[in-house]
């Protein structure tokens, strides 16, 4: 009686996970294992339900359904449960009968409720991935450009004291500082915004039992902005999930401005920054590239240098070797004869001896020939003029094109809504200069790609499930009636996300897929039994009422088992549980309303349209008659 509908329901749940195959990038690696686990577990459970469960039922269940459940507390509990359940089923049967008696008004109200749920989409908001409280904070500090590393260290020490005053000592595990730009370390293994001695990364680790990390970030941010107005500070993703989702970028929203004029691009970025500063939820707004790094411009008089037999290349090489050594161009090593260990040797002018423009002008220049015989050693000041200047601290490129980045994080708001306001701020800039382009990158780019892929995949999965049921029922209308549970599942997901303050993200979309699959399976179970009753001579209304009454227990138990199983996940208990909470909440919300739709709307719609198609026996009889007539 239920072998075929259970098989179709199991295959339907497996098919609805088809959208995961279409995911790309990080989302694919995050959710493909989840989808495969669900599919294989469903197939295994179907196999066990047809073999192990039936065998255990044969030997463990009582011979008669009316057999007394026994004495004692357990027996009284079972008898009381069965009595209350029968009362609930009777109440449901009466409610369904009244619903079907006023089906025009009832279905209209349900349709209005489901359609109005679409208005919740702007309220819910969009995020790529749920925010997780990892108990870590990563603060980047940037002193005024050109600050010496000793001064930066002093500032970091003061900032660290402010952090310790803000975070209670009992909740603080430790603070780690990285000041300046590493010289002998490959930055490909260490994502940092450091471009010089004025930069520092401060990593703050909280203990397991701590208050909200986001709350501490807001408190630290407010104090630093008030107490250190000349120091730029902002938080970056500290946990591995946040860093991966940012795809190596320093912020969730990265607005890239690319053009032919660096100064013009920077002015445009400054205007955009002012517009974005007024957007609610925007935090840690900054321009990543600095164009005001203090520098000395050495203007060589080429004519005078050539008279002395010195080329521009020799001037640059002499200055570079004096100030930085030649370790990159021509490294030198000293071999310890005792240990056999190589040590790199760097020869350069001590920094304390180059403390003025005059000292820099006294840098000796290498000459092509030997000194003497009328040739005197030449100094830099003899062939060049040294002036103060400002240079870009760093020049960023994206696919070869030079860019200026306006980076920002989002706090207390969904990523999709903040990005929409950023796009509006870009439009306020008006017409851009020729050759200039503004592009939004970061998490939002991957989020939109994943949402578009999942949306298309869900539509394809629904079509595949519909075609599967068409093949099973040999009808186009009955699968459509079964699909009446889907709008309820989608509306239930939206309502649950709004009530729990959860956004639409990849996790909640995966939960939506699960709710849709279970909802379709329950509706399929009810319609199949109603068709069997039609074969026994029931009219459409009576068949729908009886199918709802008989299938009330399995439908309710299936939904409750899924809801209770997802409840711990939905509550978000434990460290990092916020990551999977949207999935559980979406499943619970979708199943609650999908079950109501299955128990009331599906049998009502079935009673309306079932008279327009024949039962399976009638169709088989017609096929047999037509076949015999043909023979």
């Amino acid at each position: 009686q239920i072998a075929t509908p259970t098989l179709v329901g199991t295959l339907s749940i497996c098919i609805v996970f088809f959208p995961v195959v279409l995911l790309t990038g990080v989302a694919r690696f995050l959710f493909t294992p989840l989808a495969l686990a669900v599919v294989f577990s469903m197939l295994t459970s179907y196999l066990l339900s047809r073999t192990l469960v039936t065998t255990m039922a044969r030997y463990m269940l009582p011979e008669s359904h009316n057999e007394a459940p026994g004495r004692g507390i357990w027996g009284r509990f079972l008898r009381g449960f069965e009595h209350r359940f029968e009362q609930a089923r009777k109440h449901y049967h009466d409610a369904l009968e009244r619903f079907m008696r006023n089906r025009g008004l009832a279905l209209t109200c349900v349709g209005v409720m489901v359609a109005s749920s679409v208005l919740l989409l702007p309220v819910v908001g969009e995020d790529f991935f749920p925010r997780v409280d990892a108990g870590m904070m990563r603060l980047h500090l940037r002193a005024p450009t050109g600050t010496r590393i000793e001064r930066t260290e002093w500032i970091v020490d003061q900032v660290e004291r402010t952090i310790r005053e803000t975070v209670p000592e009992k909740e603080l595990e430790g603070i780690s500082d990285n000041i300046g730009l590493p010289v002998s370390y490959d930055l490909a293994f260490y994502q940092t915004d450091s471009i010089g001695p004025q930069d520092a990364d401060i990593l703050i680790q909280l203990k397991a039992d701590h208050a909200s990390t986001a709350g501490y970030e807001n408190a630290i941010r407010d104090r630093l902005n008030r107490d250190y107005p000349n120091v730029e500070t902002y938080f970056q993703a500290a946990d591995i999930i946040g860093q991966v989702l940012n795809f190596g970028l320093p912020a969730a929203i990265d607005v890239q401005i690319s053009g032919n004029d660096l100064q013009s691009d920077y002015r445009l970025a400054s205007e955009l920054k002012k517009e974005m500063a007024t957007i609610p939820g925007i935090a840690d707004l900054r321009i990543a590239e600095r164009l005001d790094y203090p520098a000395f411009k050495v203007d060589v008089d080429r004519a005078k240098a050539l008279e002395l037999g010195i080329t521009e290349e020799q001037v640059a090489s002499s200055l570079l070797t004096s100030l930085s050594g030649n370790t990159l161009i021509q490294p030198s090593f000293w071999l310890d004869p005792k240990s056999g260990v190589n040590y790199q040797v760097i020869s350069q002018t001590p920094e304390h001896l180059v403390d003025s423009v005059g000292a820099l002008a006294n840098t000796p220049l290498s000459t092509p020939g030997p000194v003497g015989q009328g040739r005197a050693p030449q100094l830099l000041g003899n062939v060049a003029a040294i002036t103060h200047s400002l240079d870009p601290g760093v020049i960023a490129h994206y696919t070869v094109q030079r860019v200026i980045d306006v980076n920002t994080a989002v706090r207390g708001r969904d990523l999709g809504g903040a990005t929409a306001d950023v796009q509006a701020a870009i439009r306020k800039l008006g017409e851009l200069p020729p050759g200039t382009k503004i592009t939004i990158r970061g998490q939002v780019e991957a989020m939109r790609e994943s949402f578009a892929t999942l949306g298309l995949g869900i539509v394809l999965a629904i079509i595949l499930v519909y075609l599967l049921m068409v093949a099973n029922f040999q009808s186009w209308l009955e699968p459509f009636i079964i699909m009446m549970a889907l709008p309820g599942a989608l509306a239930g997901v939206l309502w649950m996300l709004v009530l729990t303050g959860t956004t639409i993200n990849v996790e909640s979309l995966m939960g939506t897929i699960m709710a849709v699959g279970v909802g379709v399976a329950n509706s399929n179970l009810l319609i199949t039994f109603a068709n069997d009753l039609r074969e026994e001579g029931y009219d459409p209304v009576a068949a729908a009422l009886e199918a709802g009454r008989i299938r009330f227990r399995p439908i309710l138990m299936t939904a409750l088992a899924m809801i209770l199983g997802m409840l711990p996940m939905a509550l978000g208990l434990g460290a990092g549980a916020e990551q999977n909470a949207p999935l559980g909440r979406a499943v619970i919300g979708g199943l609650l309303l999908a079950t109501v739709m299955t128990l009331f709307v599906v049998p009502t719609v079935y009673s309306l349209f079932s008279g327009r198609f024949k039962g399976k026996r009638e169709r088989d009889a017609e096929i047999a008659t037509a076949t015999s007539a043909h023979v």
Side-chain angles (χ1 to χ4, degrees):
Q1 194 178 45
I2 65 170
T4 300
T6 306
L7 176 61
V8 174
T10 303
L11 294 179
S12 300
I13 296 177
C14 295
I15 290 175
V16 294
F17 280 92
F18 169 75
V20 180
V21 180
L22 303 178
L23 287 174
T24 59
V26 177
R28 175 184 178 185
F29 298 102
L30 285 174
F31 296 104
T32 298
L34 173 63
L36 291 176
V38 173
V39 169
F40 285 120
S41 64
M42 290 300 300
L43 295 176
T44 305
S45 66
Y46 177 79
L47 177 63
L48 293 177
S49 66
R50 305 274 74 79
T51 55
L52 179 62
V53 174
T54 53
T55 304
M56 294 177 65
R58 167 66 180 82
Y59 291 102
M60 300 181 68
L61 290 180
E63 293 292 337
S64 173
H65 178 71
N66 297 323
E67 184 177 331
R71 299 179 180 179
I73 298 177
W74 179 244
R76 290 196 297 271
F77 171 78
L78 290 179
R79 286 191 294 270
F81 176 81
E82 286 296 330
H83 176 68
R84 286 187 291 270
F85 188 85
E86 287 301 325
Q87 287 183 331
R89 179 151 58 182
K90 183 179 183 304
H91 292 323
Y92 159 70
H93 184 270
D94 296 339
L96 177 59
E97 188 175 8
R98 289 192 297 270
F99 190 91
M100 295 176 65
R101 191 180 307 124
N102 304 283
R103 54 193 177 190
L105 177 61
L107 292 178
T108 301
C109 294
V110 171
V112 171
M113 185 274 295
V114 172
S116 61
S117 300
V118 179
L119 301 176
L120 298 176
L121 284 173
V123 180
V124 175
E126 299 175 341
D127 276 321
F128 183 36
F129 204 73
R131 294 185 177 92
V132 179
D133 190 345
M136 299 175 63
M137 293 179 283
R138 185 181 180 187
L139 178 68
H140 187 84
L141 180 147
R142 176 168 290 172
T145 312
T147 303
R148 291 182 61 86
I149 195 169
E150 297 89 350
R151 178 66 178 175
T152 304
E153 183 182 9
W154 182 85
I155 296 174
V156 170
D157 183 64
Q158 301 302 313
V159 169
E160 188 173 322
R161 292 183 181 180
T162 301
I163 294 173
R164 295 184 183 276
E165 293 174 359
T166 305
V167 181
E169 183 179 357
K170 62 180 181 180
E171 299 184 17
L172 186 62
E173 182 73 27
I175 301 177
S176 175
D177 305 329
N178 293 317
I179 305 174
L181 187 67
V183 178
S184 58
Y185 194 82
D186 191 350
L187 292 181
F189 299 100
Y190 176 59
Q191 192 279 321
T192 178
D193 283 359
S194 297
I195 59 174
Q198 72 276 350
D199 287 293
D201 288 315
I202 304 175
L203 186 63
I204 307 162
Q205 177 67 55
L206 302 179
K207 292 183 179 180
D209 187 13
H210 62 83
S212 171
T213 303
Y216 284 136
E217 287 184 355
N218 294 330
I220 294 172
R221 185 184 294 111
D222 293 339
R223 285 202 59 180
L224 295 181
N225 291 336
R226 183 182 67 249
D227 298 343
Y228 304 90
N230 295 326
V231 178
E232 184 181 30
T233 55
Y234 52 87
F235 286 94
Q236 296 179 287
D239 58 293
I240 186 63
I241 295 178
Q243 294 180 25
V244 170
L245 293 178
N246 285 342
F247 296 93
L249 296 174
I253 299 179
D254 180 11
V255 183
Q256 288 187 347
I257 303 174
S258 60
N260 302 321
D261 187 345
L262 188 63
Q263 295 295 335
S264 175
D265 293 345
Y266 193 85
R267 287 193 296 270
L268 196 63
S270 301
E271 295 178 12
L272 180 59
K273 180 183 175 183
K274 293 180 182 178
E275 292 288 343
M276 292 174 59
T278 62
I279 298 175
I282 291 295
D284 298 331
L285 181 62
R286 73 273 183 186
I287 298 177
E289 292 76 23
R290 304 299 294 266
L291 306 184
D292 58 347
Y293 202 96
F296 289 109
K297 182 180 180 181
V298 180
D299 189 8
V300 179
D301 188 338
R302 299 196 177 194
K304 184 184 293 185
L306 289 176
E307 290 179 359
L308 299 173
I310 301 174
T311 64
E312 183 94 9
E313 179 185 2
Q314 291 168 342
V315 174
S317 177
S318 300
L319 191 60
L320 179 63
T321 302
S322 174
L323 298 179
S324 302
N326 58 356
T327 179
L328 296 178
I329 301 174
Q330 189 177 0
S332 300
F333 299 92
W334 174 74
L335 178 62
D336 188 346
K338 294 183 178 180
S339 62
V341 178
N342 283 326
Y343 293 93
Q344 192 173 16
V345 178
I346 301 176
S347 176
Q348 69 181 74
T349 304
E351 289 188 9
H352 69 276
L353 297 181
V354 190
D355 55 358
S356 64
V357 176
L360 183 63
N362 289 331
T363 301
L365 303 178
S366 60
T367 55
V371 178
Q373 302 176 357
R375 295 179 59 86
Q378 297 297 327
L379 302 178
L380 179 63
N382 295 339
V383 297
I386 303 175
T387 57
H388 290 275
S389 177
L390 294 176
D391 282 348
V394 63
I395 298 178
H397 294 81
Y398 186 85
T399 61
V400 183
Q401 180 67 42
R402 187 173 55 194
V403 296
I404 295 291
D405 297 273
V406 182
N407 295 327
T408 183
V410 180
R411 292 291 181 268
R413 191 183 178 189
D414 65 290
L415 181 61
T419 304
D421 289 346
V422 171
Q423 291 174 329
I426 294 174
R427 289 192 293 268
K428 289 182 181 180
L429 297 177
E431 186 177 355
L432 301 177
T436 302
K437 182 176 65 173
I438 300 180
T439 307
I440 299 179
R441 305 194 185 279
Q443 278 194 34
V444 65
E445 186 179 18
M447 179 186 72
R448 288 174 176 170
E449 292 178 358
S450 299
F451 282 10
T453 302
L454 279 176
L456 176 61
I458 290 175
V459 172
L460 293 177
I462 291 175
I463 294 175
L464 291 175
V465 171
Y466 179 76
L467 294 178
L468 173 66
M469 290 189 294
V470 166
N472 175 64
F473 288 99
Q474 300 179 16
S475 169
W476 294 96
L477 185 57
E478 292 181 45
F480 177 77
I481 297 174
I482 293 174
M483 290 292 184
M484 288 292 102
L486 295 186
L490 299 179
V493 169
L494 289 176
W495 279 105
M496 180 59 71
L497 295 182
V498 169
L499 294 176
T500 57
T502 309
T503 60
I504 296 176
N505 48 63
V506 181
E507 286 275 1
S508 58
L509 289 177
M510 294 293 292
T512 303
I513 292 173
M514 291 184 180
V516 166
V518 177
V520 169
N522 284 337
S523 297
N524 177 58
L525 192 65
L526 188 146
I527 295 299
T528 302
F529 191 73
N531 284 341
D532 292 340
L533 294 177
R534 287 287 313 281
E535 300 292 343
E536 297 176 6
Y538 281 73
D539 63 84
V541 175
L545 282 171
E546 187 65 12
R549 189 186 70 85
I550 297 299
R551 292 307 182 198
F552 179 71
R553 181 192 291 265
I555 291 174
L556 204 61
M557 292 300 107
T558 301
L560 284 177
M562 191 73 168
I563 290 172
L564 294 176
M566 288 291 175
L567 189 59
M569 180 186 296
L571 294 176
L573 304 177
E578 308 95 330
Q579 172 179 316
N580 295 320
L583 189 151
R585 293 167 185 171
V587 171
I588 292 175
L591 275 183
L592 285 175
L593 205 49
T595 303
V596 174
M597 296 285 286
T598 299
L599 293 175
F600 287 93
V601 176
V602 171
T604 303
V605 176
Y606 180 85
S607 67
L608 279 173
F609 295 101
S610 61
R612 301 186 181 183
F613 53 83
K614 301 177 181 179
K616 186 174 184 300
R617 291 184 182 179
E618 297 174 352
R619 292 195 300 270
D620 292 342
E622 288 184 356
I623 294 174
T625 303
T627 303
S628 61
H630 178 72
V631 172

